[in-house]
Structures are given as C-alpha cells and as structure tokens.
Amino acid sequence: MTNRVVLIGLDGGTFGTLDALMEEGVMPFLKGFLASGTRAELLSVIPPLTPPGWTSLVTGRTPGNHGIMDFFRFESPDSRYIRVLDSRDVKCETLWSIVSRQGLKATVLNFPMMTPPRPITGNAVPGWAPWRHLRRLCFPRDLFDRIKTVPGFNVRELAMDLQLEGRAIEGSAQEEYEEWIRFHIRREQQWFEILRYLMEQDPCDLTAILFDGVDKLQHLLWRFIDPRYLPSPPSAWEQRICELCRDYFRHLDGLMADIVAMAGPEAAVFVTSDHGFGPSTEVFYLNEWLHRQGHLAWASDAPEDTSETGKLGLGMIRRSPSMVDWSRTIAYGLTPSSNGLHIAVAGRKGPEGIEPQAYEQVRSVLIEQLHQLADPRTGERVVTRVWKREEAFPGSQMAMAPDLTLSLRDGGFISILKSDVVLKPRPEVVGTHRPQGIFMARGPGIRQGLSLPALSITDVAPTLLYLLGLPAPSDLEGRVADQIFEPALLQARAMRVGEPTQVPEAFPQWPESQEEKEGEAQVLERLKNLGYVE
C-alpha cells in the first residue's frame, strides 16, 4: 500500500519563532498539528545554508557528495572566478527522480537547484528562477500555460527577483518594511493557489511545496519577531511592523491548514526546514583580519565598507577575486554565504600561493590564529569552531569545498570586504542562520504528541520513501526515522534497502531550442549586471 505524502518546507523555520507564535495564538493550526503528531529538531549541514540544506534534504546525501555547498562555486577546479550553482551541479539523484523512475508521481513547487529542469513524472515549478524565463523552466512544457490561468497569478511576484533577495541580507529602508511583508504574504498565497490547482487537477503520490518568506522576514525583521529585541514600549510604527509580521505567520498557518485538509486524513504530512534562525549582532570582516595577519594583500582599488550597519559584500561577489593582490595573498574568503576560507596553493588556481608541501602547516597556523581571535572588549572568542574541508565536506566533491569553514559566535556570515575594523557591532539586530531546523510529522501510523531528539536533515528523504512504499537506495547517507512510527506500521511494512541511486545524467535536461539558449544567456547577463557572477 502506498500512502500519499505531503512535504511542506518552511525556509529558515525554527522552533524558537514558531513555538512562541503558537503559544500566542497566531498559529493555531500548527499547534494542533503538533499535538497530534511528532516533532524534532532537524540538524542542518555545514554551513547551515539554503542551497546545500534543501539539496541534502531531497537527496539524503551530504554536501561533500551532492556538490552543493553554497550559492556559488568556482567555474572550474583551476579557476578563481565563480558562478551561480544550478541543477547541473547536483551530483546525486533527488527524491523527485527516485519516485518517478519507480512508477510514482510528484508535484514539486519552489525548491532551489531545479533549473535547468530535469524530467520527472509529475509537475515541477522551480524556485530561484527569474520571472522572464519561468515559462521555459517549468516541467512539463505546457505547465506554465496551465498555471497562469490560476486566479491571482502574477509571474513577476511569484518568481525570484535577485534585487529583492539582496535586501533580506544587506538591509532595506525602513519605509519599505510594510510592503516587504505584504509582498511575501501575496507570494505565499500564489504558490498555494498553484498547489491547490495541481492537487485538484493532477493529484500525485508526493506533493512538495516550499514557502520561503519565513527566511526573508526573519533575516530583515528579526527584532520585530523576537520580542527580546523590541523596545519597551515599542513605538506605534514598531508595533505595526510586529503585527504585520504576525499577519504573515497567521496567513501561513491558514495555508498549511488548507493544504492538510486538501490532502485528506489518509495522507502523511511533513513540515521541515533547511536550517534554523537566530539573532546576529555584529559583522566579522574575515578578509580584513587575514590582511592584518599578513595572509592577504588588498588590491589598490579594493572597495572598503564604510557603512554604519556593516555589509557582507553580497553585491561584490563578482569582484571578489579582483579585490585581492594574488602575488602577496595566501588565504582569502571568497563569498559571505559560505563562511569559508580558501588557501592559495601554487598550481591549484594559478602560479601564486604557497608550495603544496606547506599546505598542512599553513592550515594549522590559520586554525590556531582563528581560535585565538578574541573580542578586545570582552575577551570572548569570535570564531567558535573551524572545520577542515575533510571534516565538513567528506565525499566525492570535497575538492570544490573551502579549505576551512568557520562558525562565528553570533551565528552570522563573514564579510569579504575591506574595513577599518575587524569586528563591527550592528546598530540593530538582524536574523541569521542556525543549524537547528524543524521536523514535524502527522498522519496514519505516525506517533502522536511525541518530541524526539534531533534528526539529521539527510533522514527526511529515506523516511518519505518508506511511507511511499519504496525502498531506500543503499547509498543514501540518512536513515529512516523509524522512531516516529507506531509499532503496528513498522510491523506491517518492512523497511527495504534498494539499489543505489542513479547518476543525474540518467535524467538529463531536455534539449534546448535556440530561443531557450538565448534566454539562458539573458539570465547570465542579468546575474552579471546584478553582481552575482563575473
């Protein structure tokens, strides 16, 4: 027997936020859902970041094997220049293709790393797709023409806008906050309407939807969501922003209630996130610190962050390699999102850098110096942990990983910019990622009112496959979370281990027309103009 399974993704969902909202009565459906289901923290990947997090969740593999470690990667092992990642960089099979090749159907909405599309049995509308090209990035080919008939359809607001994405991290004018929240309410409603249309017109065995406004609001508006950071008493404007944030979560709660109702009582429903969230109160300028330690030399025209708020350098990523004098640099941070440090080794990405035989010694020195870095005001360590690449990213794709990955004391991202200070306190707290995400499940055979120890994000894929009646491929790194199930279900349905996953090339992207190739070039040009790629 095969159950219908529904996966609801809340990007950046964290119990720290959701528990408080449930107790306040803002999310009554979710509170009832948990009372009749199971919950656990869901431990994310290193670093806890959206692309590698969701990719691990839907592949059951870690970043060192599926190859997604950031939003960006080097163009090649020999290049210092970077590009945006896409589905061609996912080196492991996804849930969607595993389900499809075993005779089941899937509907997948708004997940990252799905463009260019790979054929599945079912429907896919990708996330992280510019609106001008969403038509050609949906699967099957006629899907866009079908969903555009859905009431309220507005492709400009449905799809990704890179300029809007940057506001969540680098900040936005206060007068834009209200529209920012209302925009995400409208956007979540659009994704829901598409889901409702497809559930009614083409029901599938596995239905998955990702709501990403949770992440966007928490990044920009953490001080309005976490009452510990709100002035007492708040101003009328601050109170209004607080209420609008609650309106967003109240609306999201209603959408989830409707999804569960549409799925019916026989469906198993999972609510998960790619990572958690918490406050960030400072900016650590990694490259400036490396400069002062004598490990990095700035180019003469390297831009300097003189802002009061502190910038990470997201808009400067395409210029990152040109900000450094490579003849005098042995270590550098490439992107803010990776929290990664790369060591320049001669012959690896050019003739400059240390000799290969000095690599281990230099890496050990960097680790020791990072551990010794202390806040001069308090003496507290700034870097709480440093992972070597073989610790954070073991697997077939490890060669593309940073040499070192950092965890900062406030959970924040590094800045890659030049600065007159190494540490800059933020004038206002913002939200940033944490490793502890969410896992919730309810349905036939799932235990009720249970709170479990933390699960791994790689456990989700094999657990969903088990409920779909499919064997878990033998090369998955996660395991079926059997502790969430009633003993009767475990006795009635044996866990099965199947053949290893297939390489993604077995499910290639469809051939592109000339028009589609031209559209791909336009997307790349747009990314260049916005500063995301060189």
Side-chain angles (χ1 to χ4, degrees):
M1 176 182 175
T2 299
N3 291 336
R4 289 181 64 190
V5 174
V6 175
L7 172 63
I8 301 173
L10 304 182
D11 200 294
T14 179
F15 284 121
T17 295
L18 299 176
D19 281 343
L21 293 170
M22 286 187 277
E23 289 306 309
E24 291 175 26
V26 174
M27 304 188 80
F29 166 76
L30 196 58
K31 185 174 183 179
F33 182 92
L34 280 177
S36 56
T38 293
R39 67 180 276 167
E41 285 188 340
L42 194 65
L43 295 181
S44 188
V45 297
I46 302 170
L49 195 64
T50 294
W54 286 120
T55 306
S56 284
L57 188 142
V58 305
T59 61
R61 307 294 298 275
T62 54
N65 283 308
H66 63 59
I68 306 298
M69 304 168 190
D70 192 357
F71 292 91
F72 312 92
R73 62 166 285 173
F74 290 110
E75 288 181 337
S76 72
D78 301 323
S79 172
R80 289 195 181 105
Y81 292 99
I82 58 178
R83 61 171 176 81
V84 177
L85 292 163
D86 61 32
S87 66
R88 290 167 288 199
D89 299 299
V90 180
K91 303 304 181 183
C92 295
E93 192 176 12
T94 65
L95 265 173
W96 334 127
S97 62
I98 294 171
V99 166
S100 295
R101 66 180 171 82
Q102 298 195 64
L104 302 185
K105 293 176 63 177
T107 285
V108 190
L109 303 179
N110 199 29
F111 280 77
M113 301 298 118
M114 293 189 68
T115 60
R118 295 185 187 274
I120 64 170
T121 305
N123 309 284
V125 183
W128 286 86
W131 72 266
R132 292 181 182 275
H133 305 285
L134 190 61
R135 175 190 296 274
R136 68 183 184 85
L137 297 175
C138 294
F139 185 88
R141 286 185 181 272
D142 67 343
L143 179 58
F144 183 87
D145 288 329
R146 286 188 278 137
I147 65 174
K148 75 178 183 180
T149 65
V150 171
F153 183 80
N154 180 344
V155 68
R156 288 175 179 263
E157 290 196 344
L158 178 73
M160 178 189 67
D161 185 322
L162 287 173
Q163 291 177 317
L164 285 176
E165 295 295 324
R167 293 183 191 176
I169 307 296
E170 295 287 33
S172 177
Q174 290 188 354
E175 57 267 23
E176 297 177 336
Y177 286 3
E178 291 189 36
E179 174 54 24
W180 174 258
I181 301 167
R182 292 192 173 98
F183 164 76
H184 283 95
I185 292 175
R186 296 193 302 270
R187 191 165 182 267
E188 311 295 39
Q189 182 69 38
Q190 277 209 71
W191 282 111
F192 167 78
E193 295 295 345
I194 293 171
L195 181 72
R196 173 157 57 188
Y197 169 83
L198 291 172
M199 289 181 77
E200 292 174 350
Q201 300 297 319
D202 189 17
C204 290
D205 305 285
L206 173 61
T207 301
I209 184 170
L210 173 57
F211 294 112
D212 54 17
V214 179
D215 179 274
K216 306 302 188 297
L217 265 67
Q218 289 182 139
H219 267 305
L220 185 63
L221 305 171
W222 184 262
R223 66 187 185 277
F224 301 98
I225 296 171
D226 187 335
R228 294 176 298 174
Y229 296 96
L230 195 66
S232 182
S235 68
W237 174 78
E238 289 169 332
Q239 189 62 42
R240 185 164 68 253
I241 299 302
C242 286
E243 287 305 313
L244 281 171
C245 288
R246 279 154 178 75
D247 284 347
Y248 167 83
F249 285 100
R250 189 175 292 112
H251 186 79
L252 181 64
D253 190 67
L255 297 182
M256 290 192 288
D258 289 343
I259 292 170
V260 172
M262 290 187 297
E266 296 305 311
V269 180
F270 292 79
V271 182
T272 66
S273 67
D274 52 340
H275 54 73
F277 247 87
S280 174
T281 58
E282 65 188 7
V283 176
F284 170 49
Y285 294 87
L286 173 63
N287 282 344
E288 181 62 32
W289 176 81
L290 289 169
H291 170 69
R292 298 185 184 198
Q293 297 296 312
H295 304 312
L296 178 149
W298 292 111
S300 58
D301 59 347
E304 182 172 346
D305 179 21
T306 58
S307 68
E308 293 183 5
T309 56
K311 300 294 183 183
L312 304 181
L314 288 176
M316 297 289 182
I317 287 177
R318 73 181 179 91
R319 294 186 56 189
S320 176
S322 65
M323 292 192 294
V324 171
D325 179 350
W326 293 105
S327 67
R328 298 183 293 138
T329 292
I330 65 170
Y332 59 99
L334 186 71
T335 69
S337 47
S338 67
N339 272 11
L341 185 154
H342 295 262
I343 297 173
V345 179
R348 184 193 284 181
K349 296 184 183 299
E352 304 90 352
I354 62 172
E355 293 302 316
Q357 59 269 27
Y359 176 79
E360 289 297 342
Q361 179 184 357
V362 170
R363 190 167 66 161
S364 296
V365 168
L366 285 165
I367 293 172
E368 182 179 358
Q369 290 177 333
L370 285 164
H371 280 151
Q372 292 175 351
L373 172 61
D375 184 338
R377 299 167 300 173
T378 65
E380 182 182 0
R381 283 175 55 182
V382 175
V383 179
T384 56
R385 183 162 182 180
V386 182
W387 290 274
K388 298 177 181 179
R389 61 168 20 168
E390 59 268 28
E391 296 170 331
F393 302 103
S396 61
Q397 305 301 308
M398 185 180 71
M400 300 303 293
D403 295 282
L404 299 173
T405 299
L406 283 54
S407 178
L408 306 183
R409 64 176 175 176
D410 77 337
F413 297 113
I414 63 167
S415 174
I416 60 172
L417 299 176
K418 185 178 182 181
S419 174
D420 62 352
V421 295
V422 169
L423 279 176
K424 180 178 289 185
R426 293 182 180 274
E428 295 175 327
V429 67
V430 299
T432 195
H433 298 179
R434 294 287 191 273
Q436 299 81 13
I438 61 170
F439 175 92
M440 312 180 201
R442 191 181 85 177
I446 295 175
R447 298 170 68 183
Q448 298 186 19
L450 192 66
S451 182
L452 293 172
L455 301 172
S456 166
I457 199 167
T458 59
D459 295 338
V460 175
T463 302
L464 268 58
L465 290 171
Y466 171 73
L467 276 182
L468 287 165
L470 300 177
S474 60
D475 54 349
L476 297 193
E477 295 169 74
R479 64 172 187 83
V480 176
D482 56 354
Q483 62 269 49
I484 76 170
F485 298 122
E486 296 285 355
L489 176 63
L490 295 172
Q491 291 173 5
R493 176 179 297 174
M495 293 183 190
R496 296 183 294 147
V497 177
E499 294 296 317
T501 54
Q502 296 189 10
V503 295
E505 287 72 19
F507 300 89
Q509 291 88 5
W510 60 50
E512 290 184 307
S513 66
Q514 184 60 35
E515 178 185 1
E516 289 169 336
K517 291 178 180 179
E518 292 172 357
E520 189 74 27
Q522 292 171 13
V523 173
L524 182 60
E525 186 61 30
R526 176 69 170 156
L527 292 171
K528 289 180 179 178
N529 292 338
L530 291 172
Y532 279 78
V533 292
E534 183 63 59

